[in-house]
Amino acid sequence: MIKRVFASVPVVAVTAIIVFALLRLTPGDPAAVLAGENATAQQVDQLRQTLGLDQPLPLQFWVWAQALLHGDLGLSLISGQPVTALIAGRMGPTLAVSVTSVLFTLIVAIPLGVAAAHKPGGAVDRLVSCIAAIGVSVPAFVIGYILIYLVALRMGWLPVQGYRPLSDGLWPHLQRLILPTLALSGAYIALVARMTRSSLIAILHADYIRTARAKGAPEHTVLLRHGLRNAAVPIVTVVGAGVASLITGVVVTESVFNLPGLGRLMVEALLARDYPVIQGLILLFALIYIAINLIVDLLYVALTPRLRTRQTL
């Protein structure tokens, strides 16, 4: 596992180089954006020198990488605030939506997948297939606008948009997370439910499952203890990939529901060409991807006795 952690370091370094190069090579001049439409060429050049954008790219990267190693992501070109402070200030809404989406998905998708695998071709199986088709086919922002129209505008049950921190109370906090959670977890539920169903169906045809049933084991024991436990590895893989994909969904969902999280911050930084903020956010997302992969690898070892035995040899 230590080797796996060290192997992630070059991935982070390559990601940093790619992000820096892509942002610098894209058309557009952040100095011109900051100076405004009425600025003269001399004012734009002076601002470019102040920001260090007139230096060669290798020198710019060297300065940025040195600061990065000390935990300094730089200052925002727009607000002048430290990027780390901006990210920390926007972390709460993104974390809240992500956690509620993952929990809601696991609570709904795994029981649906188990029920569908128990009786393939039955009513529950058809319902799961229908939900999966809708969840995979319809984008999160479309589901979000439908929920806003039906639940918030027509029925008036929930607020349309906005965010309230947990310090304002549990219900006001959860009230504004319900619709974003439903919109964001739609495709995720479809993915996990389908994988749970297919993995469990394959396991339920194994010899040891027939042996357990022949010994008179209750059906719920066969499904959950012998079946679901042995089908957990592909399910964990999909759950890990789904958690990582939530990052992409969060960017869109926060824009739809006006949540002041990291997704909105990314959109604002992209529109303003705020290079330090964009670089900081992409690096953060890359680290989250790597951390999720490491957690999935740890779960593989915990769920698969063969891997534990192989590592001890």
Side-chain angles (χ1 to χ4, degrees):
M1 197 62 206
I2 296 176
K3 293 181 180 178
R4 183 74 175 80
V5 173
F6 280 108
S8 303
V9 176
V11 177
V12 177
V14 171
T15 303
I17 295 172
I18 293 174
V19 169
F20 183 88
L22 285 178
L23 289 177
R24 292 306 191 280
L25 295 176
T26 50
D29 186 356
V33 175
L34 288 173
E37 296 179 356
N38 298 324
T40 63
Q42 184 179 2
Q43 290 174 324
V44 173
D45 290 339
Q46 186 175 1
L47 183 58
R48 193 177 294 115
Q49 292 176 8
T50 304
L51 298 174
L53 298 175
D54 60 329
Q55 300 295 326
L57 283 181
L59 181 58
Q60 291 184 42
F61 178 77
W62 176 249
V63 173
W64 176 71
Q66 279 187 315
L68 181 63
L69 292 176
H70 292 85
D72 183 9
L73 295 175
L75 300 176
S76 167
L77 298 180
I78 306 301
S79 65
Q81 298 180 30
V83 174
T84 50
L86 286 174
I87 292 177
R90 298 291 192 95
M91 186 73 78
T94 301
L95 194 60
V97 174
S98 300
V99 170
T100 54
S101 297
V102 172
L103 291 178
F104 180 71
T105 298
L106 296 180
I107 291 172
V108 173
I110 292 182
L112 279 178
V114 172
H118 183 220
K119 290 184 178 179
V124 177
D125 190 19
R126 294 195 189 96
L127 176 64
V128 170
S129 299
C130 180
I131 294 174
I134 295 174
V136 172
S137 306
V138 182
F141 72 91
V142 175
I143 297 177
Y145 283 125
I146 292 174
L147 290 174
I148 287 174
Y149 177 73
L150 293 178
V151 181
L153 297 180
R154 294 295 298 270
M155 301 177 184
W157 289 352
L158 294 170
V160 177
Q161 293 177 329
Y163 174 76
R164 296 282 292 275
L166 188 58
S167 57
D168 290 352
L170 181 60
W171 174 239
H173 177 67
L174 294 177
Q175 196 179 23
R176 287 161 177 80
L177 292 178
I178 293 176
L179 293 184
T181 298
L182 293 175
L184 190 58
S185 57
Y188 195 26
I189 288 175
L191 190 66
V192 176
R194 290 181 66 177
M195 180 54 69
T196 303
R197 175 189 177 277
S198 59
S199 301
L200 196 52
I201 286 177
I203 292 292
L204 291 178
H205 289 88
D207 293 338
Y208 64 88
I209 294 293
R210 285 194 288 271
T211 302
R213 282 174 171 156
K215 288 183 176 179
E219 191 61 21
H220 68 275
T221 303
V222 173
L223 282 174
L224 301 179
R225 183 178 176 182
H226 301 289
L228 187 60
R229 184 175 180 180
N230 289 285
V233 171
I235 297 172
V236 167
T237 304
V238 171
V239 170
V243 172
S245 68
L246 282 179
I247 296 172
T248 307
V250 160
V251 175
V252 179
T253 306
E254 288 182 355
S255 300
V256 172
F257 290 97
N258 195 25
L259 299 176
L262 296 179
R264 282 282 305 281
L265 181 61
M266 174 64 87
V267 173
E268 293 167 4
L270 287 171
L271 293 176
R273 295 189 178 280
D274 198 343
Y275 289 160
V277 177
I278 298 172
Q279 289 168 165
L281 286 171
I282 293 178
L283 282 178
L284 173 66
F285 293 156
L287 290 175
I288 292 174
Y289 269 97
I290 292 169
I292 291 172
N293 284 327
L294 288 175
I295 293 172
V296 170
D297 288 346
L298 285 174
L299 290 176
Y300 283 167
V301 176
L303 294 171
T304 311
R306 293 193 306 272
L307 295 178
R308 290 200 299 270
T309 305
R310 190 177 301 170
Q311 288 191 352
T312 56
L313 293 177

